[in-house]
Structure formats: C-alpha cells, structure tokens
Amino acid sequence: MTFLTYLRINGTALPVQKDDYSVDYSDVVADSGGVTEAGTTIRDVIREGVPSISVTIPVSITWLKKLRKLKKEPFLTVEWRDPETGELSTGIMYMDGFKVSLKHDTSAGGLWTVSFTLEDLDDV
C-alpha cells in the first residue's frame, strides 16, 4: 500500500501523517480598509488564501537534527497536500514557532515531539 506524501521541505518528504498537520488560509487586507462613520466595514483584500501550515509530529533524534537544520534556513521550498484540491501545492515559506519536547526516553536518543508553523513568503 502506498501512502501519500503530505509535506515535503526542500525536496525531503517529512514523516507526516494526515492528522499531523493542518493548513489555514487567510487573507491579507490593506491598511486603507476600516470602518466608516456610518459603520460600514471596508475590506481591501490584497492577497486571498495565504497558506499557513501547522505541524506537530513525533520524530527520532535523527529527524530532530534535520528539522533543526531546516529551521535555520532563511527560506524553504515547501510542497503540501492542499485540502481544497487534493494535489501537492508549492510555495516559498519559513519555519516559525519551533518547539520540541521529549515524548519517550530511549537508548537510541529518545522520541521527540516537534511542532512548528510554516509561514508563506511568496510575493504578491
């Protein structure tokens, strides 16, 4: 049985299962918007559907070292399974909010839980 690739960073498929990540799409609104004197809300959307990917995965010490190295990169080429299309989408992102906690202590270096968010860097 072949499993789908859900997340790839710089060409490397991460050990992510379907429940290990979520994609949030938000809009970028211009500062020129706001509320008028009459109470009407004005939204000037500059970009629609900007992705933000939240990831929480259990990893070995080997994967933890790989992810720490990726964290230091100024930008990452990210491919993710888009829930709207079911296909892999590609974008330039950076890693933010990197957190690590020890899940199980083992003689092989432990099992770690890593969480981070991939934020969009693509131009308008």
Side-chain angles (χ1 to χ4, degrees), residues 34-110:
V35 179
T36 66
E37 235 177 79
T40 305
T41 301
I42 299 172
R43 286 182 75 225
D44 186 15
V45 178
I46 298 171
R47 289 183 65 201
E48 185 268 330
V50 178
S52 175
I53 303 170
S54 298
V55 180
T56 301
I57 53 175
V59 295
S60 65
I61 191 71
T62 304
W63 267 106
L64 177 59
K65 289 176 183 178
K66 289 178 187 179
L67 291 171
R68 292 282 303 155
K69 187 175 178 182
L70 288 171
K71 166 69 177 107
K72 295 175 184 178
E73 297 292 325
F75 63 90
L76 306 165
T77 301
V78 178
E79 294 176 80
W80 70 95
R81 185 134 329 253
D82 189 331
E84 292 179 356
T85 65
E87 301 294 324
L88 284 178
S89 293
T90 303
I92 304 298
M93 299 183 163
Y94 67 94
M95 196 180 288
D96 195 28
F98 194 88
K99 295 180 185 175
V100 179
S101 62
L102 181 61
K103 188 171 184 175
H104 293 289
D105 187 17
T106 67
S107 60

XYZ file of all heavy atoms in Angstrom, residues 34-110:
595
model
N -11.184 49.643 6.826
C -11.598 50.038 8.171
C -13.102 50.169 8.239
O -13.838 49.585 7.451
N -13.555 50.992 9.186
C -14.983 51.218 9.372
C -15.272 52.691 9.124
O -14.601 53.565 9.676
C -15.424 50.811 10.801
C -16.898 51.054 11.010
C -15.088 49.353 11.062
N -16.285 52.968 8.311
C -16.666 54.356 8.018
C -17.464 54.929 9.174
O -17.850 54.221 10.103
C -17.516 54.434 6.735
O -18.759 53.771 6.971
C -16.789 53.815 5.550
N -17.728 56.240 9.096
C -18.535 56.908 10.114
C -19.921 56.297 10.228
O -20.514 56.257 11.303
C -18.683 58.400 9.739
C -18.242 59.319 10.843
C -18.335 60.750 10.393
O -19.462 61.273 10.392
O -17.284 61.320 10.068
N -20.429 55.808 9.116
C -21.762 55.210 9.089
C -21.762 53.768 9.600
O -22.816 53.146 9.701
C -22.314 55.251 7.665
N -20.578 53.224 9.893
C -20.495 51.865 10.425
C -20.290 50.796 9.364
O -20.377 49.611 9.661
N -20.013 51.207 8.133
C -19.771 50.248 7.057
C -18.316 49.768 7.107
O -17.400 50.576 7.185
C -20.028 50.904 5.676
O -21.352 51.437 5.665
C -19.856 49.895 4.559
N -18.123 48.471 7.072
C -16.779 47.901 7.064
C -16.269 47.830 5.634
O -16.951 47.321 4.746
C -16.785 46.490 7.675
O -17.264 46.573 9.016
C -15.384 45.882 7.674
N -15.053 48.350 5.431
C -14.430 48.328 4.113
C -13.207 47.429 4.196
O -12.327 47.644 5.035
C -14.024 49.745 3.664
C -15.252 50.630 3.564
C -13.268 49.681 2.350
C -14.933 52.081 3.319
N -13.169 46.415 3.333
C -12.030 45.493 3.259
C -11.428 45.587 1.872
O -12.113 45.375 0.882
C -12.470 44.049 3.495
C -12.804 43.728 4.913
C -13.177 42.262 5.082
N -11.977 41.432 5.024
C -11.895 40.303 4.331
N -12.896 39.859 3.643
N -10.779 39.605 4.342
N -10.155 45.891 1.804
C -9.427 45.900 0.542
C -8.442 44.737 0.599
O -7.357 44.853 1.158
C -8.710 47.241 0.361
C -8.044 47.369 -0.991
O -8.360 46.562 -1.887
O -7.214 48.279 -1.152
N -8.848 43.593 0.025
C -8.046 42.370 0.092
C -6.919 42.435 -0.932
O -7.158 42.558 -2.129
C -8.920 41.125 -0.150
C -8.074 39.870 -0.124
C -10.029 41.043 0.890
N -5.683 42.382 -0.429
C -4.506 42.405 -1.290
C -4.193 40.994 -1.793
O -3.899 40.794 -2.953
C -3.282 42.963 -0.529
C -3.550 44.388 -0.094
C -2.027 42.867 -1.373
C -2.492 44.929 0.843
N -4.217 40.021 -0.882
C -3.980 38.612 -1.220
C -5.029 37.762 -0.540
O -5.335 37.959 0.630
C -2.596 38.159 -0.758
C -1.462 38.745 -1.550
C -0.111 38.225 -1.103
N 0.002 36.796 -1.369
C 0.865 35.998 -0.743
N 1.660 36.469 0.181
N 0.933 34.723 -1.031
N -5.553 36.814 -1.278
C -6.569 35.921 -0.759
C -5.994 34.512 -0.653
O -5.255 34.065 -1.527
C -7.771 35.923 -1.712
C -8.962 35.128 -1.239
C -8.950 33.693 -1.741
O -8.407 33.432 -2.826
O -9.446 32.833 -1.014
N -6.299 33.817 0.433
C -5.889 32.426 0.580
C -4.409 32.198 0.811
O -3.817 31.300 0.228
N -3.796 32.995 1.685
C -2.366 32.834 2.004
C -2.234 31.649 2.978
O -2.817 31.659 4.054
C -1.787 34.119 2.626
C -0.333 33.919 2.997
C -1.964 35.291 1.679
N -1.450 30.624 2.600
C -1.376 29.427 3.440
C -0.459 29.583 4.652
O 0.553 30.268 4.609
C -0.803 28.370 2.486
C 0.009 29.152 1.514
C -0.691 30.469 1.348
N -0.850 28.929 5.728
C -0.047 28.781 6.930
C -0.239 27.329 7.365
O -1.376 26.879 7.521
C -0.516 29.744 8.017
O 0.184 29.524 9.218
N 0.850 26.587 7.532
C 0.760 25.162 7.808
C 1.284 24.881 9.216
O 2.438 25.171 9.522
C 1.576 24.356 6.775
C 1.091 24.678 5.357
C 1.482 22.868 7.070
C 1.984 24.136 4.263
N 0.431 24.319 10.071
C 0.817 23.936 11.431
C 1.146 22.451 11.447
O 0.361 21.636 10.950
C -0.326 24.214 12.407
O -0.623 25.580 12.434
N 2.308 22.104 12.016
C 2.778 20.724 12.019
C 3.131 20.314 13.443
O 3.788 21.065 14.160
C 4.039 20.574 11.117
C 4.533 19.139 11.122
C 3.765 21.055 9.705
N 2.704 19.125 13.849
C 3.117 18.513 15.115
C 3.364 17.044 14.822
O 2.434 16.321 14.473
C 2.037 18.664 16.202
O 1.784 20.053 16.408
C 2.480 18.025 17.501
N 4.640 16.624 14.940
C 4.987 15.244 14.605
C 5.940 14.635 15.626
O 6.779 15.322 16.181
C 5.633 15.142 13.200
C 6.820 16.106 13.050
C 4.635 15.371 12.113
C 7.572 15.973 11.748
N 5.798 13.327 15.862
C 6.773 12.619 16.684
C 7.946 12.206 15.799
O 7.747 11.704 14.689
C 5.994 11.396 17.175
C 4.937 11.171 16.139
C 4.636 12.507 15.540
N 9.174 12.459 16.264
C 10.359 12.166 15.454
C 11.473 11.557 16.304
O 11.512 11.722 17.520
C 10.907 13.436 14.756
C 9.911 13.982 13.753
C 11.296 14.500 15.750
N 12.396 10.910 15.611
C 13.606 10.378 16.243
C 14.611 11.521 16.384
O 14.427 12.608 15.842
C 14.199 9.271 15.372
O 14.647 9.833 14.135
N 15.709 11.257 17.064
C 16.765 12.266 17.229
C 17.355 12.645 15.867
O 17.721 13.801 15.635
C 17.857 11.798 18.226
C 18.803 12.931 18.600
C 18.627 10.627 17.659
C 18.195 13.988 19.466
N 17.415 11.696 14.943
C 17.932 11.966 13.594
C 17.053 12.993 12.879
O 17.564 13.960 12.301
C 17.997 10.658 12.772
O 18.795 9.715 13.478
C 18.574 10.909 11.392
N 15.740 12.793 12.929
C 14.819 13.742 12.299
C 14.820 15.081 13.026
O 14.686 16.138 12.402
C 13.401 13.166 12.235
C 13.146 12.480 10.953
C 13.075 11.135 10.732
C 12.948 13.106 9.685
N 12.855 10.896 9.409
C 12.766 12.081 8.741
C 12.914 14.417 9.251
C 12.542 12.335 7.385
C 12.692 14.676 7.909
C 12.511 13.644 6.992
N 14.974 15.054 14.340
C 15.038 16.303 15.105
C 16.212 17.154 14.624
O 16.069 18.361 14.408
C 15.163 16.011 16.597
C 15.318 17.213 17.516
C 14.138 18.170 17.380
C 15.492 16.754 18.957
N 17.362 16.531 14.410
C 18.535 17.262 13.915
C 18.283 17.831 12.519
O 18.669 18.963 12.220
C 19.762 16.346 13.911
C 20.261 16.022 15.303
C 21.414 15.038 15.252
C 21.869 14.661 16.651
N 22.968 13.672 16.624
N 17.629 17.058 11.643
C 17.303 17.541 10.295
C 16.372 18.751 10.355
O 16.561 19.733 9.630
C 16.625 16.439 9.474
C 17.528 15.320 9.060
C 16.736 14.270 8.295
C 17.564 13.051 8.004
N 16.791 12.009 7.278
N 15.366 18.674 11.215
C 14.402 19.781 11.330
C 15.050 21.026 11.931
O 14.747 22.146 11.507
C 13.188 19.338 12.152
C 12.299 18.296 11.477
C 11.267 17.762 12.463
C 11.624 18.873 10.244
N 15.949 20.848 12.899
C 16.664 21.994 13.476
C 17.507 22.686 12.409
O 17.619 23.902 12.393
C 17.560 21.552 14.636
C 16.842 21.083 15.864
C 16.290 22.158 16.727
N 17.342 23.073 17.156
C 17.113 24.326 17.500
N 15.903 24.810 17.466
N 18.095 25.099 17.880
N 18.105 21.895 11.526
C 18.895 22.459 10.439
C 17.994 23.248 9.474
O 18.357 24.342 9.038
C 19.630 21.339 9.698
C 20.606 21.827 8.673
C 21.377 20.669 8.060
C 22.326 21.190 6.995
N 23.067 20.119 6.347
N 16.825 22.710 9.148
C 15.880 23.412 8.273
C 15.386 24.706 8.911
O 15.161 25.700 8.229
C 14.687 22.511 7.938
C 14.949 21.366 6.980
C 13.736 20.447 6.912
C 15.324 21.882 5.607
N 15.234 24.701 10.236
C 14.766 25.888 10.965
C 15.684 27.081 10.734
O 15.261 28.229 10.706
C 14.661 25.564 12.454
C 14.512 26.743 13.378
C 13.168 27.417 13.221
C 12.984 28.553 14.185
N 13.065 29.861 13.568
N 16.962 26.815 10.550
C 17.959 27.883 10.399
C 17.977 28.487 8.992
O 18.584 29.529 8.784
C 19.349 27.342 10.744
C 19.461 26.935 12.201
C 20.788 26.305 12.510
C 20.808 25.839 13.963
N 22.048 25.173 14.310
N 17.314 27.842 8.032
C 17.293 28.336 6.654
C 16.414 29.590 6.544
O 15.353 29.649 7.156
C 16.756 27.266 5.704
C 17.610 26.013 5.634
C 18.950 26.261 4.982
O 19.029 27.079 4.050
O 19.929 25.620 5.414
N 16.845 30.601 5.748
C 16.048 31.824 5.600
C 14.757 31.609 4.821
O 13.782 32.328 5.017
C 16.982 32.778 4.860
C 17.992 31.904 4.189
C 18.113 30.671 5.030
N 14.743 30.622 3.926
C 13.515 30.273 3.213
C 13.559 28.805 2.830
O 14.632 28.211 2.703
C 13.300 31.151 1.981
C 14.365 31.003 0.926
C 14.240 30.066 -0.082
C 15.493 31.804 0.952
C 15.220 29.920 -1.048
C 16.472 31.675 -0.017
C 16.341 30.732 -1.021
N 12.379 28.217 2.677
C 12.241 26.801 2.371
C 11.290 26.619 1.196
O 10.276 27.329 1.110
C 11.671 26.053 3.581
C 12.395 26.224 4.904
C 11.530 25.746 6.056
C 13.712 25.482 4.881
N 11.588 25.681 0.323
C 10.657 25.306 -0.727
C 9.770 24.207 -0.140
O 10.259 23.138 0.220
C 11.402 24.786 -1.967
O 12.279 25.816 -2.418
C 10.431 24.428 -3.072
N 8.481 24.513 -0.015
C 7.559 23.611 0.665
C 6.497 23.105 -0.318
O 5.934 23.881 -1.077
C 6.868 24.326 1.850
C 5.867 23.405 2.535
C 7.900 24.829 2.850
N 6.273 21.801 -0.283
C 5.172 21.196 -1.023
C 4.235 20.583 0.011
O 4.684 19.874 0.908
C 5.681 20.110 -1.965
C 6.561 20.605 -3.088
C 7.091 19.452 -3.908
O 6.344 18.946 -4.760
O 8.245 19.060 -3.660
N 2.951 20.874 -0.100
C 1.980 20.345 0.846
C 0.748 19.875 0.101
O 0.433 20.351 -0.971
C 1.614 21.393 1.904
C 0.793 22.535 1.387
C -0.565 22.658 1.410
C 1.275 23.730 0.751
N -0.943 23.840 0.837
C 0.167 24.519 0.418
C 2.552 24.202 0.434
C 0.285 25.750 -0.212
C 2.660 25.430 -0.198
C 1.540 26.186 -0.504
N 0.058 18.912 0.687
C -1.174 18.414 0.107
C -2.275 19.416 0.424
O -2.645 19.621 1.560
C -1.517 17.032 0.646
C -2.715 16.469 -0.044
C -2.615 15.042 -0.503
N -1.353 14.507 -0.900
C -1.026 14.243 -2.172
N -1.839 14.545 -3.148
N 0.120 13.691 -2.452
N -2.753 20.077 -0.612
C -3.762 21.129 -0.483
C -5.132 20.492 -0.246
O -5.599 19.719 -1.081
C -3.776 21.964 -1.760
C -4.624 23.209 -1.641
O -5.600 23.208 -0.865
O -4.311 24.195 -2.333
N -5.779 20.795 0.883
C -7.076 20.173 1.165
C -8.174 20.607 0.191
O -9.182 19.927 0.058
C -7.397 20.622 2.591
C -6.513 21.764 2.864
C -5.330 21.659 1.964
N -7.993 21.719 -0.509
C -9.001 22.176 -1.469
C -8.961 21.367 -2.758
O -9.987 21.118 -3.370
C -8.798 23.660 -1.791
C -9.092 24.573 -0.629
C -8.855 26.034 -0.960
O -8.382 26.343 -2.074
O -9.152 26.870 -0.097
N -7.748 20.965 -3.185
C -7.600 20.277 -4.465
C -7.204 18.809 -4.328
O -7.397 18.037 -5.257
C -6.533 20.978 -5.328
O -5.260 20.864 -4.679
C -6.881 22.437 -5.561
N -6.606 18.436 -3.207
C -6.091 17.085 -3.030
C -4.754 16.868 -3.708
O -4.187 15.785 -3.649
N -4.217 17.905 -4.348
C -2.944 17.833 -5.051
C -1.845 18.504 -4.226
O -2.126 19.257 -3.303
C -3.056 18.541 -6.410
C -4.119 17.969 -7.321
C -3.819 16.550 -7.769
O -2.630 16.243 -7.991
O -4.759 15.753 -7.867
N -0.583 18.270 -4.614
C 0.528 18.949 -3.953
C 0.624 20.379 -4.480
O 0.642 20.597 -5.686
C 1.851 18.224 -4.208
C 2.099 16.944 -3.417
C 3.425 16.325 -3.816
C 2.083 17.206 -1.925
N 0.671 21.345 -3.575
C 0.896 22.751 -3.909
C 2.305 23.104 -3.480
O 2.858 22.488 -2.566
C -0.102 23.658 -3.189
O -1.405 23.433 -3.667
N 2.889 24.123 -4.106
C 4.258 24.519 -3.805
C 4.313 25.984 -3.434
O 3.583 26.797 -4.000
C 5.172 24.292 -5.038
O 5.069 22.925 -5.412
C 6.615 24.605 -4.726
N 5.175 26.326 -2.484
C 5.376 27.712 -2.095
C 6.704 27.903 -1.390
O 7.365 26.939 -1.000
N 7.088 29.164 -1.245
C 8.286 29.535 -0.505
C 7.827 29.959 0.888
O 6.969 30.833 1.024
C 9.046 30.694 -1.199
C 9.393 30.316 -2.638
C 10.287 31.079 -0.414
C 10.308 29.128 -2.766
N 8.406 29.345 1.921
C 7.962 29.585 3.294
C 9.156 29.661 4.234
O 10.288 29.376 3.841
C 7.007 28.484 3.742
C 5.755 28.376 2.925
S 4.658 27.121 3.594
C 3.140 27.567 2.802
N 8.874 30.028 5.472
C 9.876 29.960 6.539
C 9.251 29.233 7.718
O 8.033 29.144 7.847
C 10.375 31.353 6.932
C 9.343 32.235 7.592
C 9.233 32.295 8.982
C 8.468 33.006 6.837
C 8.292 33.099 9.595
C 7.519 33.811 7.441
C 7.434 33.852 8.816
O 6.487 34.640 9.417
N 10.116 28.701 8.602
C 9.663 27.944 9.758
C 9.623 28.866 10.969
O 10.586 29.571 11.252
C 10.613 26.770 9.991
C 10.074 25.707 10.905
S 11.241 24.336 11.154
C 11.176 23.516 9.576
N 8.496 28.847 11.689
C 8.315 29.722 12.844
C 7.741 28.915 14.010
O 7.117 27.878 13.809
C 7.360 30.861 12.463
C 7.377 32.004 13.447
O 8.423 32.217 14.094
O 6.357 32.693 13.572
N 7.956 29.394 15.224
C 7.368 28.772 16.411
C 7.846 27.355 16.666
O 7.069 26.500 17.079
N 9.125 27.096 16.447
C 9.694 25.752 16.594
C 9.726 25.356 18.065
O 10.337 26.033 18.888
C 11.104 25.745 16.002
C 11.673 24.381 15.782
C 11.451 23.709 14.598
C 12.456 23.785 16.752
C 11.993 22.456 14.380
C 13.002 22.534 16.542
C 12.772 21.862 15.368
N 9.053 24.241 18.413
C 9.027 23.755 19.798
C 9.335 22.266 19.814
O 8.897 21.525 18.938
C 7.652 23.985 20.422
C 7.307 25.434 20.576
C 5.941 25.600 21.188
C 5.570 27.067 21.212
N 4.217 27.287 21.671
N 10.089 21.854 20.824
C 10.495 20.453 20.959
C 10.213 19.995 22.379
O 10.486 20.711 23.336
C 12.009 20.289 20.672
C 12.426 18.848 20.830
C 12.360 20.809 19.298
N 9.680 18.770 22.495
C 9.523 18.172 23.821
C 9.813 16.683 23.727
O 9.546 16.046 22.702
C 8.117 18.412 24.383
O 7.151 17.806 23.564
N 10.392 16.130 24.787
C 10.731 14.714 24.844
C 9.465 13.927 25.157
O 8.809 14.164 26.165
C 11.801 14.466 25.918
C 12.288 13.033 26.079
C 12.935 12.540 24.797
C 13.254 12.950 27.250
N 9.133 12.994 24.273
C 7.926 12.188 24.462
C 8.252 10.901 25.208
O 7.561 10.523 26.137
C 7.297 11.886 23.104
C 5.954 11.228 23.178
C 5.306 11.163 21.815
C 3.916 10.581 21.934
N 3.208 10.615 20.666
N 9.326 10.194 24.762
C 9.775 8.960 25.407
C 11.293 8.939 25.417
O 11.936 9.270 24.429
C 9.291 7.714 24.645
C 7.811 7.526 24.683
N 7.129 7.160 25.806
C 6.886 7.662 23.713
C 5.843 7.079 25.531
N 5.666 7.389 24.257
N 11.850 8.516 26.540
C 13.297 8.362 26.652
C 13.658 6.960 26.175
O 13.085 5.976 26.634
C 13.707 8.558 28.111
C 15.209 8.591 28.276
O 15.908 8.781 27.268
O 15.678 8.433 29.417
N 14.588 6.899 25.212
C 15.023 5.602 24.705
C 16.547 5.578 24.633
O 17.190 6.620 24.665
C 14.473 5.323 23.282
O 15.070 6.240 22.378
C 12.966 5.458 23.234
N 17.112 4.384 24.479
C 18.561 4.269 24.351
C 19.051 4.798 23.004
O 20.234 5.064 22.832
C 18.986 2.806 24.524
O 18.369 2.011 23.521
N 18.130 4.979 22.039
C 18.503 5.464 20.699
C 18.401 6.985 20.579
O 18.455 7.514 19.483
C 17.617 4.797 19.655
N 18.248 7.696 21.692
C 18.200 9.155 21.636
C 16.839 9.750 21.899
O 16.666 10.950 21.854
N 15.867 8.929 22.164
C 14.550 9.414 22.536
C 13.599 9.593 21.364
O 13.998 9.620 20.209
